[in-house]
Amino acid sequence: MKAAEMIMDSNRVFMFGVGDTGITVKSFINKVNKLNIFPIFANENGEEDHIVRRVRPNDLAVFTSYENYEREFGYEINEAQQHCQTILITSKPNTIYKDKVDLLITIPSEEKRRKLRPSSLNLRLNMYLIWSLPFLYKKYNLVITYQCVHLFDT
């Protein structure tokens, strides 16, 4: 719920994602455009370093990383946290950035445990559940509890 509130309360939302996670971020941007919310995909055309220097206090920077890509956002996280609120969504609960962001959301890392690709159904399902929060929050004004779903537990 906190992430949805942060997104809804921000003037501008800057989204960061690389690889498969970047594709998921673009899908989220497409969905919230229908709610008259227009996040900016900061990794488009390699502009993330320039964009992050232009964030303002009422903006929000959302960084998404499944595995090792979070290190690629080191400069951007450090720059953004000085000027605006930040969210990091990652599969690494002990990330070196956990104390540098306003909100840390962790998702299960099924890739190592079950040798699944990052684009696995589990990652996609959990990312879409996280990204669905703003829709439900705005449309129904619901109080939402989110719990990661482990599809592959036996």
Side-chain angles (χ1 to χ4, degrees):
M1 188 63 178
K2 173 96 171 141
E5 289 174 352
M6 291 170 76
I7 291 169
M8 302 304 291
D9 293 341
S10 297
N11 286 345
R12 299 182 299 173
V13 179
F14 296 92
M15 309 286 302
F16 296 81
V18 177
D20 288 342
T21 308
I23 294 168
T24 304
V25 168
K26 286 182 179 182
S27 178
F28 168 72
I29 289 171
N30 184 33
K31 286 176 174 59
V32 296
N33 286 169
K34 294 167 181 70
L35 293 174
N36 205 27
I37 301 169
F38 297 95
I40 298 162
F41 184 58
N43 291 88
E44 197 77 53
N45 302 318
E47 294 291 322
E48 58 272 13
D49 289 353
H50 301 291
I51 288 173
V52 78
R53 289 194 299 258
R54 289 165 178 79
V55 296
R56 299 180 193 133
N58 291 330
D59 293 339
L60 173 67
V62 181
F63 300 91
T64 57
S65 169
Y66 186 69
E67 279 291 322
N68 294 323
Y69 289 119
E70 70 181 15
R71 287 194 176 271
E72 290 188 18
F73 297 136
Y75 169 79
E76 289 82 7
I77 290 173
N78 287 326
E79 187 71 24
Q81 62 93 22
Q82 295 177 37
H83 305 289
C84 71
Q85 288 192 313
T86 54
I87 296 173
L88 174 60
I89 301 170
T90 181
S91 64
K92 294 183 169 187
N94 295 319
T95 175
I96 60 174
Y97 301 109
K98 68 182 176 185
D99 296 326
K100 294 187 177 194
V101 295
D102 296 296
L103 179 62
L104 176 68
I105 300 173
T106 58
I107 57 174
S109 178
E110 296 294 325
E111 183 179 61
K112 289 181 181 172
R113 196 168 78 109
R114 302 280 188 176
K115 295 183 172 49
L116 297 174
R117 300 286 306 156
S119 59
S120 71
L121 177 61
N122 192 46
L123 169 67
R124 293 284 178 186
L125 177 61
N126 282 293
M127 291 297 286
Y128 282 118
L129 287 173
I130 290 168
W131 294 134
S132 296
L133 295 178
F135 298 105
L136 298 172
Y137 175 73
K138 183 168 185 167
K139 186 169 183 175
Y140 302 109
N141 206 16
L142 295 176
V143 176
I144 301 166
T145 303
Y146 174 76
Q147 180 177 357
C148 288
V149 177
H150 292 273
L151 294 178
F152 302 102
D153 286 347
T154 54

